[in-house]
Amino acid sequence: MSVPLDANDLLLFARVADTGSFSRAAEQLGLPKSTVSRRIAALEAQLGERLLTRSTRYLALTDFGQGVASHARRLAEEADAAAAFAQARQETPRGLLKVSLPPFADRDLAHFLRAFTAAYPLVQLRLDISARNVDLIAEQFDVVIRVARQLPDDATLVARRLRDQIAAIYASPAYLAGHGTPAMPEELLQHTAIRLVAGNGETPAWVLIRGKDTWNGLPDAGLSCNSIGLIGEMAVAGAGLASLPDHYAAPLVTSGQLVRVLPDWHSPVSSIWAVMPSRRHIPSRTRAFIDAVEQHLLPRCDELPGQDAPALR
């Protein structure tokens, strides 16, 4: 039968064990020494074994007391962590925030960043906009925004999935008028593509799905670059076919600047992630930025079926 223990008594015992004195523990906790002594005696009675050996000159932990103290100290650490977490949430975000963003398609990025800096004037935002795979730890980034189907497992990092997205193939009406409209994915290989260069320097093949059907291939490219925004602009200019995120292409389709090719086919679901160095407490400035990015993406991405986001480690 388990012994119902008062967590406060364990926290008190941890303080006695660390200070080695009823008097010092009572002073730190703002309690009468008699109260500390009485509660430790009651804890021993509940556990059915002595925690301390006492004399007029010193206190010493018994072997049993050392084992209980290790558990009590972990409880005290978690209590301190909870208190620090609550305090951090109340703190005004401030200080340097180093962020890496991929050059993904976001025509409103400048407006978003201006709104964030206006809302948090004490945060100094330092941006690295690059497709390269940065080393969060070595380069001391606070947060990295990444677009990926799945992140590699890394115990030194913690990830939060912000939104899901899909991509599809688009072209300008002028390009399709001059080169024809593909009716099947295989026909894409007869066209010119504007291809994306990934963070590792490679140009990944296009992968398209329709129900259980999958196609992958890579048309010849007149231009390859690491900026989805530039790829979109080149597609509008009639330079070729482009694989673009739906939320980016939607207003261009509405305005008649782009046409979706193979409307029944789209890419597998990928996700926009916020990746941070693993640490017990996320600074309020980092949390504020990630929350702002998530809210910025909310009205601009569709709800899509996808993998569950990993819990914060």
Side-chain angles (χ1 to χ4, degrees):
M1 180 178 177
S2 61
V3 180
L5 299 177
D6 187 335
N8 290 322
D9 287 342
L10 288 172
L11 295 174
L12 189 150
F13 174 60
R15 189 63 61 93
V16 171
D18 290 340
T19 61
S21 165
F22 284 139
S23 299
R24 284 193 290 271
E27 182 180 353
Q28 291 182 9
L29 295 170
L31 296 172
K33 178 182 175 182
S34 59
T35 299
V36 174
S37 178
R38 174 175 52 79
R39 287 173 60 180
I40 295 300
L43 181 61
E44 289 177 322
Q46 280 187 290
L47 294 172
E49 195 167 338
R50 298 191 68 178
L51 299 168
L52 301 160
T53 57
R54 305 166 177 81
S55 74
T56 57
R57 302 181 60 181
Y58 70 91
L59 290 177
L61 294 174
T62 65
D63 289 342
F64 177 67
Q66 290 178 355
V68 174
S70 66
H71 292 287
R73 289 188 180 104
R74 285 197 292 271
L75 179 61
E77 289 173 357
E78 290 301 323
D80 290 342
F85 174 73
Q87 181 180 2
R89 289 192 68 86
Q90 297 175 11
E91 290 178 353
T92 300
R94 67 180 67 236
L96 177 65
L97 181 65
K98 191 174 179 183
V99 178
S100 177
L101 293 171
F104 60 88
D106 192 337
R107 291 181 298 276
D108 298 325
L109 182 60
H111 296 290
F112 162 73
L113 294 173
R114 177 67 187 95
F116 178 82
T117 55
Y120 301 100
L122 299 181
V123 175
Q124 294 87 51
L125 194 58
R126 182 179 297 173
L127 296 180
D128 171 83
I129 299 180
S130 171
R132 68 190 181 91
N133 294 321
V134 302
D135 188 324
L136 275 82
I137 307 299
E139 299 181 58
Q140 298 183 324
F141 279 98
D142 295 291
V143 61
V144 170
I145 305 298
R146 288 178 175 165
V147 180
R149 294 177 192 165
Q150 189 171 3
L151 295 176
D153 189 23
D154 190 335
T156 66
L157 303 175
V158 59
R160 173 174 159 186
R161 192 180 68 187
L162 303 180
R163 294 301 287 176
D164 290 333
Q165 67 176 22
I166 59 170
I169 308 303
Y170 296 88
S172 71
Y175 175 86
L176 295 176
H179 298 83
T181 300
M184 294 295 294
E186 293 80 8
E187 296 179 18
L188 296 174
L189 299 177
Q190 303 169 16
H191 289 261
T192 299
I194 311 161
R195 300 195 315 220
L196 177 69
V197 178
N200 59 6
E202 302 291 330
T203 53
W206 287 354
V207 179
L208 298 175
I209 59 175
R210 182 184 63 181
K212 296 182 179 180
D213 298 328
T214 300
W215 176 88
N216 68 81
L218 194 59
D220 291 336
L223 170 73
S224 299
C225 69
N226 65 359
S227 169
I228 288 290
L230 180 58
I231 290 174
E233 292 177 13
M234 293 295 292
V236 168
L241 303 175
S243 176
L244 298 170
D246 271 9
H247 69 83
Y248 175 86
L252 299 174
V253 172
T254 300
S255 66
Q257 298 178 79
L258 287 180
V259 175
R260 180 166 173 174
V261 178
L262 303 173
D264 294 336
W265 295 80
H266 61 80
S267 73
V269 176
S270 61
S271 299
I272 301 174
W273 306 83
V275 186
M276 298 153 281
S278 181
R279 57 182 65 160
R280 182 175 290 272
H281 305 300
I282 300 174
S284 58
R285 60 182 178 273
T286 302
R287 189 173 58 252
F289 182 80
I290 294 173
D291 289 346
V293 171
E294 187 170 32
Q295 288 301 312
H296 174 66
L297 294 172
L298 274 176
R300 306 172 62 250
C301 296
D302 294 329
E303 288 286 358
L304 299 168
Q307 63 215 356
D308 290 335
L312 295 184
R313 289 183 286 231

